[in-house]
Amino acid sequence: MVRRTLLDFFEDWSRIEGDFVVYDDGYRVWTFTYAEIAAASRTFAARLREAGIGRDERIVLWSENRGEWLAVLWGSLLQGVILVPVDYRSPAELVRRIAEIVDARAIVTGDAVPPIATTRPHWHVRDARHAGAPGAIDVAAGGGTAAQTAEIIFTSGATADPKGVVLTHKNILANVVPIEREIGKYRRYARPFAPIRFLNLLPLSHMFGQSMATFIPPMLGGIVVFTRSFSPPEIVRQIHDRRISILVCVPKMLEVLRDHVVRTVPEAADAPPAGLHWTRKWWLHRRVHRLFGFKFWAFVVGAAPLDPELEAFWRDRGFLVVQGYGLTETAPVVTLNHPLHGSHGAVGKPIAGVEVKIADDGEILVRGDNVTGGYYNAPEETNSAFRDGWFHTGDIGELDAGGHLRIRGRKKEMIVTPEGLNVFPEDVERVLNALPGVRESAVVGGPVAGGTRTTERVQAILVTDPGVDVDTVVRQANAQLLDHQKIRATAVWQGELPRTEGTRKLKRRELKAWLAGQISVTPASSSGSGMAAVLQRFAPGRAITPPTTIEELGLSSLERVELMLAIEETFDVTVDETRFAAA
């Protein structure tokens, strides 16, 4: 099957019968068939055409996951309009800045984002279903060639101008087609289990989440489910009641679910004997499988590193854990573990058409049709990332004897959180260095108390004036930072921070190693009394006082869920999730 553009893929899946998307917003459940999403896509393309927005012009989409999100994506592709999706957790100011960078003709928003003040045309995602008659679609005008730009995905969380990754139809198809061919070999074996239902917890603004909602499910005639709640009991309920087959999530969710399962089914903490067949593992932990429902069998994990011990926990309980490796710049998949022939602790082999090699210094280099041609209006950044025809990922790795890629760390200074969000150290340092009493700072990533060994959180090393209260500095900085940028641990450095000669760059590796010796990564004891003892497990070394707020601690959304569960367990109470989220 030849696919010149993504619209060829659209024409195929739009003819599939049955349900495509289920969206549970906590109050009402919305179900969309394949035909309804296709019709809404054509309707949104008509709205764009009526507004005079055409080929190569850009619109920003800032919304939670929902069926209409897919309609806006495909409607834009049908009209040849370039979609610029932004994470729904981003602040309005970042959305406005991105809209200015790309000169967006319109901004489309959902329900889970705050109001945005803008002079640009402003639509709601529901408009994809209420825009009048769709009319005829000019496919040639939409995506006539593989070189046509489909999306611009911006790096998350930068306080300076973020970089926009330009992805063409060719880039995305280079990911879609090899996976489609591989799935085709096994499609007949999946028929007895149809429909395959995916619970997708990754934001559609990220290419991995988008692929696992927009492209993979239609290959199996599957159903993708979106939900607004990320609490473990609710996720388990969704998996059980909706007969989910596959959960798509970040590694942090596997950690949160593990803790919930062990609390609910205490014997789940006991690992089975080594060398046991997976059917025996399944039987030993059948109560865990009953908790999720017997149709659930796999986790697909991406966007951040997965701790091998966490992978082993779920594998030893009879579940399949599929992980891969990729970046936004690679649309996004570089390697993928085969569900039936994977290698534990590795991120799989390169997919068809993708080349991977390891540079002399260990950096992972990638080449293939899936790799972006560069960043939007950023020639210097593009030239820096692409040399001699290879994309330099900034990650360190190695290829084992079987050709599987194993990730060993990062060469770049960027921090990747367990939620798959990027933090640029310079952005946090810029905020810190502007505060009174701070002479200089260095920001690095690393594990903190209660996290896994691959968990990266923002940590700061400060050089301050005498008498400066470090905790006050952190509170002031966190008030200006996004959730995933907030500082989780600090240490004070005496004297000038170490820098290289000549370029005067911070020696972050040395500082990171020093900081690891200053801050224990062993979870703090909760034997003390009161809320402060519980909070100390999530904010090691921080001063916890009655005025302390959750915002100041810099907890991610999933860590807030963990905190809520810890409070319930410690004090034997039930916490109202809605009130806790608003606290």
PDB file of all heavy atoms in Angstrom, residues 126-145:
ATOM      1  N   ARG A 126     -15.075  22.397  20.027  1.00  0.00           N
ATOM      2  CA  ARG A 126     -16.403  21.895  19.646  1.00  0.00           C
ATOM      3  C   ARG A 126     -16.866  22.461  18.306  1.00  0.00           C
ATOM      4  O   ARG A 126     -17.768  21.908  17.677  1.00  0.00           O
ATOM      5  CB  ARG A 126     -17.428  22.226  20.737  1.00  0.00           C
ATOM      6  CG  ARG A 126     -17.329  21.341  21.970  1.00  0.00           C
ATOM      7  CD  ARG A 126     -18.547  21.523  22.863  1.00  0.00           C
ATOM      8  NE  ARG A 126     -18.636  22.879  23.365  1.00  0.00           N
ATOM      9  CZ  ARG A 126     -18.105  23.296  24.510  1.00  0.00           C
ATOM     10  NH1 ARG A 126     -17.432  22.447  25.264  1.00  0.00           N
ATOM     11  NH2 ARG A 126     -18.224  24.546  24.912  1.00  0.00           N
ATOM     12  N   ASP A 127     -16.236  23.567  17.880  1.00  0.00           N
ATOM     13  CA  ASP A 127     -16.611  24.134  16.590  1.00  0.00           C
ATOM     14  C   ASP A 127     -16.325  23.169  15.441  1.00  0.00           C
ATOM     15  O   ASP A 127     -16.860  23.345  14.340  1.00  0.00           O
ATOM     16  CB  ASP A 127     -15.850  25.448  16.339  1.00  0.00           C
ATOM     17  CG  ASP A 127     -16.291  26.554  17.288  1.00  0.00           C
ATOM     18  OD1 ASP A 127     -17.432  26.469  17.787  1.00  0.00           O
ATOM     19  OD2 ASP A 127     -15.510  27.480  17.533  1.00  0.00           O
ATOM     20  N   ALA A 128     -15.485  22.182  15.690  1.00  0.00           N
ATOM     21  CA  ALA A 128     -15.218  21.187  14.650  1.00  0.00           C
ATOM     22  C   ALA A 128     -16.477  20.416  14.293  1.00  0.00           C
ATOM     23  O   ALA A 128     -16.594  19.863  13.198  1.00  0.00           O
ATOM     24  CB  ALA A 128     -14.131  20.211  15.108  1.00  0.00           C
ATOM     25  N   ARG A 129     -17.445  20.394  15.238  1.00  0.00           N
ATOM     26  CA  ARG A 129     -18.684  19.657  14.976  1.00  0.00           C
ATOM     27  C   ARG A 129     -19.843  20.570  14.608  1.00  0.00           C
ATOM     28  O   ARG A 129     -20.927  20.086  14.315  1.00  0.00           O
ATOM     29  CB  ARG A 129     -19.069  18.848  16.223  1.00  0.00           C
ATOM     30  CG  ARG A 129     -18.082  17.748  16.557  1.00  0.00           C
ATOM     31  CD  ARG A 129     -18.560  16.917  17.727  1.00  0.00           C
ATOM     32  NE  ARG A 129     -18.367  17.596  19.009  1.00  0.00           N
ATOM     33  CZ  ARG A 129     -19.319  17.805  19.894  1.00  0.00           C
ATOM     34  NH1 ARG A 129     -20.546  17.420  19.653  1.00  0.00           N
ATOM     35  NH2 ARG A 129     -19.064  18.410  21.040  1.00  0.00           N
ATOM     36  N   HIS A 130     -19.600  21.883  14.604  1.00  0.00           N
ATOM     37  CA  HIS A 130     -20.711  22.817  14.388  1.00  0.00           C
ATOM     38  C   HIS A 130     -20.276  23.953  13.472  1.00  0.00           C
ATOM     39  O   HIS A 130     -20.302  25.116  13.838  1.00  0.00           O
ATOM     40  CB  HIS A 130     -21.198  23.401  15.724  1.00  0.00           C
ATOM     41  CG  HIS A 130     -21.536  22.364  16.741  1.00  0.00           C
ATOM     42  ND1 HIS A 130     -22.632  21.541  16.645  1.00  0.00           N
ATOM     43  CD2 HIS A 130     -20.896  21.998  17.878  1.00  0.00           C
ATOM     44  CE1 HIS A 130     -22.670  20.724  17.692  1.00  0.00           C
ATOM     45  NE2 HIS A 130     -21.633  20.977  18.442  1.00  0.00           N
ATOM     46  N   ALA A 131     -19.869  23.597  12.278  1.00  0.00           N
ATOM     47  CA  ALA A 131     -19.383  24.632  11.368  1.00  0.00           C
ATOM     48  C   ALA A 131     -20.127  24.651  10.046  1.00  0.00           C
ATOM     49  O   ALA A 131     -19.647  25.159   9.052  1.00  0.00           O
ATOM     50  CB  ALA A 131     -17.891  24.426  11.105  1.00  0.00           C
ATOM     51  N   GLY A 132     -21.321  24.099  10.031  1.00  0.00           N
ATOM     52  CA  GLY A 132     -22.070  24.106   8.788  1.00  0.00           C
ATOM     53  C   GLY A 132     -21.707  22.924   7.912  1.00  0.00           C
ATOM     54  O   GLY A 132     -21.007  22.005   8.302  1.00  0.00           O
ATOM     55  N   ALA A 133     -22.203  22.934   6.685  1.00  0.00           N
ATOM     56  CA  ALA A 133     -21.968  21.836   5.753  1.00  0.00           C
ATOM     57  C   ALA A 133     -20.490  21.747   5.394  1.00  0.00           C
ATOM     58  O   ALA A 133     -19.845  22.760   5.134  1.00  0.00           O
ATOM     59  CB  ALA A 133     -22.801  22.043   4.494  1.00  0.00           C
ATOM     60  N   PRO A 134     -19.931  20.538   5.380  1.00  0.00           N
ATOM     61  CA  PRO A 134     -18.511  20.406   5.097  1.00  0.00           C
ATOM     62  C   PRO A 134     -18.117  20.736   3.676  1.00  0.00           C
ATOM     63  O   PRO A 134     -17.026  21.235   3.425  1.00  0.00           O
ATOM     64  CB  PRO A 134     -18.237  18.927   5.410  1.00  0.00           C
ATOM     65  CG  PRO A 134     -19.548  18.245   5.266  1.00  0.00           C
ATOM     66  CD  PRO A 134     -20.562  19.250   5.705  1.00  0.00           C
ATOM     67  N   GLY A 135     -18.965  20.491   2.706  1.00  0.00           N
ATOM     68  CA  GLY A 135     -18.615  20.791   1.320  1.00  0.00           C
ATOM     69  C   GLY A 135     -17.554  19.832   0.802  1.00  0.00           C
ATOM     70  O   GLY A 135     -17.181  18.854   1.425  1.00  0.00           O
ATOM     71  N   ALA A 136     -17.063  20.130  -0.378  1.00  0.00           N
ATOM     72  CA  ALA A 136     -16.061  19.279  -1.029  1.00  0.00           C
ATOM     73  C   ALA A 136     -14.667  19.632  -0.524  1.00  0.00           C
ATOM     74  O   ALA A 136     -14.365  20.790  -0.270  1.00  0.00           O
ATOM     75  CB  ALA A 136     -16.139  19.450  -2.542  1.00  0.00           C
ATOM     76  N   ILE A 137     -13.828  18.619  -0.407  1.00  0.00           N
ATOM     77  CA  ILE A 137     -12.461  18.815   0.073  1.00  0.00           C
ATOM     78  C   ILE A 137     -11.501  18.662  -1.097  1.00  0.00           C
ATOM     79  O   ILE A 137     -11.546  17.680  -1.842  1.00  0.00           O
ATOM     80  CB  ILE A 137     -12.110  17.800   1.175  1.00  0.00           C
ATOM     81  CG1 ILE A 137     -13.024  17.999   2.383  1.00  0.00           C
ATOM     82  CG2 ILE A 137     -10.650  17.922   1.586  1.00  0.00           C
ATOM     83  CD1 ILE A 137     -12.898  19.351   3.040  1.00  0.00           C
ATOM     84  N   ASP A 138     -10.653  19.654  -1.280  1.00  0.00           N
ATOM     85  CA  ASP A 138      -9.625  19.612  -2.315  1.00  0.00           C
ATOM     86  C   ASP A 138      -8.375  18.972  -1.710  1.00  0.00           C
ATOM     87  O   ASP A 138      -7.590  19.639  -1.048  1.00  0.00           O
ATOM     88  CB  ASP A 138      -9.320  21.024  -2.820  1.00  0.00           C
ATOM     89  CG  ASP A 138      -8.306  21.009  -3.964  1.00  0.00           C
ATOM     90  OD1 ASP A 138      -7.807  19.921  -4.295  1.00  0.00           O
ATOM     91  OD2 ASP A 138      -8.012  22.087  -4.505  1.00  0.00           O
ATOM     92  N   VAL A 139      -8.214  17.651  -1.934  1.00  0.00           N
ATOM     93  CA  VAL A 139      -7.100  16.937  -1.328  1.00  0.00           C
ATOM     94  C   VAL A 139      -5.770  17.494  -1.797  1.00  0.00           C
ATOM     95  O   VAL A 139      -4.813  17.610  -1.034  1.00  0.00           O
ATOM     96  CB  VAL A 139      -7.200  15.419  -1.633  1.00  0.00           C
ATOM     97  CG1 VAL A 139      -5.958  14.687  -1.145  1.00  0.00           C
ATOM     98  CG2 VAL A 139      -8.439  14.830  -0.982  1.00  0.00           C
ATOM     99  N   ALA A 140      -5.676  17.869  -3.047  1.00  0.00           N
ATOM    100  CA  ALA A 140      -4.421  18.415  -3.576  1.00  0.00           C
ATOM    101  C   ALA A 140      -4.043  19.701  -2.858  1.00  0.00           C
ATOM    102  O   ALA A 140      -2.869  19.973  -2.606  1.00  0.00           O
ATOM    103  CB  ALA A 140      -4.546  18.662  -5.072  1.00  0.00           C
ATOM    104  N   ALA A 141      -5.045  20.497  -2.487  1.00  0.00           N
ATOM    105  CA  ALA A 141      -4.753  21.745  -1.774  1.00  0.00           C
ATOM    106  C   ALA A 141      -4.302  21.467  -0.358  1.00  0.00           C
ATOM    107  O   ALA A 141      -3.530  22.234   0.222  1.00  0.00           O
ATOM    108  CB  ALA A 141      -6.002  22.628  -1.752  1.00  0.00           C
ATOM    109  N   GLY A 142      -4.763  20.346   0.198  1.00  0.00           N
ATOM    110  CA  GLY A 142      -4.414  20.041   1.572  1.00  0.00           C
ATOM    111  C   GLY A 142      -3.001  19.542   1.732  1.00  0.00           C
ATOM    112  O   GLY A 142      -2.160  20.191   2.327  1.00  0.00           O
ATOM    113  N   GLY A 143      -2.703  18.399   1.217  1.00  0.00           N
ATOM    114  CA  GLY A 143      -1.368  17.827   1.380  1.00  0.00           C
ATOM    115  C   GLY A 143      -0.900  17.215   0.088  1.00  0.00           C
ATOM    116  O   GLY A 143      -0.804  15.998  -0.036  1.00  0.00           O
ATOM    117  N   GLY A 144      -0.671  18.024  -0.903  1.00  0.00           N
ATOM    118  CA  GLY A 144      -0.373  17.522  -2.233  1.00  0.00           C
ATOM    119  C   GLY A 144       0.922  16.752  -2.324  1.00  0.00           C
ATOM    120  O   GLY A 144       1.051  15.867  -3.164  1.00  0.00           O
ATOM    121  N   THR A 145       1.893  17.067  -1.484  1.00  0.00           N
ATOM    122  CA  THR A 145       3.182  16.393  -1.546  1.00  0.00           C
ATOM    123  C   THR A 145       3.629  15.962  -0.159  1.00  0.00           C
ATOM    124  O   THR A 145       3.175  16.509   0.854  1.00  0.00           O
ATOM    125  CB  THR A 145       4.259  17.313  -2.148  1.00  0.00           C
ATOM    126  OG1 THR A 145       4.536  18.377  -1.229  1.00  0.00           O
ATOM    127  CG2 THR A 145       3.807  17.898  -3.482  1.00  0.00           C
TER     128      THR A 145
END
